[in-house]
Amino acid sequence: MKDIFQMYNIGHFINQPHNPTEFEILRFDEMAEPNVDDFHKHSFYEILWTEKGKSRQIIDYNEYEVKPNSLFFISPNQVHHFEEWKPLSGGTILFSEDFYLLNRSNKDPLFELSFLDNLYSNPCIEFTKKSFAEVSNLIYQIEAEQKRKDRNTSIIQAYLHILLAQVQRYIDTINPTIVSKKYLIQFKQFKQVLEDHFWENKTANYYAEQLHITQHHLNLICKAITNNTATDIIRARSILEAKRLLTFTDKSIAEIAFELNFSDGSYFAKTFKSFTNHTPQDFRSKMSEKYRTR
């Protein structure tokens, strides 16, 4: 399925599209505005840290107000728009999956971070002043190492690991509900396979087979992480893509239903309304006016 959004790498955000860099750290007041589409996808992870000021971010139709003493996380394949801001102090950390994993193929250490690749929790984390000071100190150490002429990539990677581990510890402190790391890893593996096949309209059993688990176990995992069934999550991903196609393309509703492998247009419309409380045409009219006129 052809993507309707431009996928940008880190180089695009420093206006060097052919630069293969896998890590950058930039302050808002020092960075040039990147030459990217308003609505776009990243091939990398981004952390916005805000010391002062406010901004409004949009990720796949969800709007977030980002306040001081906070971190905002953007993951690969999410449709992101930096909507508006008031004078900001802080900056952004951009890093690839390979950079975090030290070029290892096992993604479990990345999947264990509950706040990444997660559509089911708020990507904006507000800290107490004390906790944010601890996080900021780690960011400043990363920044200082990146600016050294003799900078050491291994040191930057180590600081990044510590920073994200510190964030996870803070989340675990304010939200003591314990989620099995094994379940979290399996859920993200499911989401990864889903991203490759959602448009084929496969069943929950298909995804369970791909993960070498039973459908019952897949449902247990999904309920534990999101309180939804696997089928709900599969359908929600199709509906998300339908929303994108309705908003940002001129394809007919019948064409969209066909592209997402719904049996017919009326079934697609019924399913869409059950998830959104809008008919596809009403949603298109509302969202096109809101987003495509920007």
Side-chain angles (χ1 to χ4, degrees), residues 48-57 64-72 88-89 124-127 132:
L48 301 175
W49 88 87
T50 303
E51 298 165 349
K52 296 179 182 177
K54 295 181 181 180
S55 69
R56 195 155 65 97
Q57 309 289 331
Y64 304 95
E65 183 181 23
V66 182
K67 300 177 181 178
N69 299 331
S70 70
L71 299 181
F72 186 83
L88 289 173
S89 174
C124 185
I125 302 172
E126 294 183 34
F127 293 81
F132 191 71

Side-chain angles (χ1 to χ4, degrees), residues 13-41:
F13 281 76
I14 55 174
N15 291 318
Q16 299 173 26
H18 300 296
N19 187 334
T21 179
E22 293 193 292
F23 178 88
E24 294 291 334
I25 181 168
L26 306 161
R27 285 202 167 258
F28 292 134
D29 58 358
E30 296 173 356
M31 64 185 294
E33 184 174 349
N35 183 24
V36 300
D37 294 341
D38 283 347
F39 289 88
H40 56 267
K41 288 185 176 183

Side-chain angles (χ1 to χ4, degrees), residues 192-202 206-207 210:
Q192 194 169 62
V193 179
L194 176 60
E195 195 61 32
D196 292 334
H197 296 280
F198 70 87
W199 58 276
E200 298 174 27
N201 219 346
K202 299 287 190 181
Y206 168 83
Y207 290 103
Q210 301 307 301

Side-chain angles (χ1 to χ4, degrees), residues 67-85:
K67 300 177 181 178
N69 299 331
S70 70
L71 299 181
F72 186 83
F73 294 88
I74 306 158
S75 297
N77 288 311
Q78 294 179 331
V79 176
H80 172 237
H81 177 43
F82 200 128
E83 171 66 4
E84 62 182 31
W85 63 90

Side-chain angles (χ1 to χ4, degrees), residues 218-231:
L218 179 58
N219 274 319
L220 287 178
I221 293 166
C222 293
K223 293 284 281 187
I225 304 296
T226 72
N227 204 32
N228 292 299
T229 66
T231 298

Side-chain angles (χ1 to χ4, degrees), residues 256-292:
I256 293 171
F258 177 78
E259 194 163 339
L260 294 174
N261 274 285
F262 280 83
S263 55
D264 58 64
S266 60
Y267 177 60
F268 165 70
K270 181 180 178 181
T271 304
F272 188 90
K273 187 171 184 180
S274 72
F275 269 79
T276 67
N277 293 320
H278 295 283
T279 67
Q281 187 57 55
D282 287 345
F283 182 87
R284 164 169 272 169
S285 300
K286 181 180 179 182
M287 292 299 133
S288 294
E289 180 180 348
K290 183 175 184 179
Y291 291 131
R292 293 184 74 175

Side-chain angles (χ1 to χ4, degrees), residues 67 76 84 92-93 105 113 151 191 202 211 245 256 262 279:
K67 300 177 181 178
E84 62 182 31
T92 180
I93 298 172
S105 59
L113 298 172
R151 65 175 173 264
K191 278 188 61 189
K202 299 287 190 181
L211 299 174
L245 291 166
I256 293 171
F262 280 83
T279 67

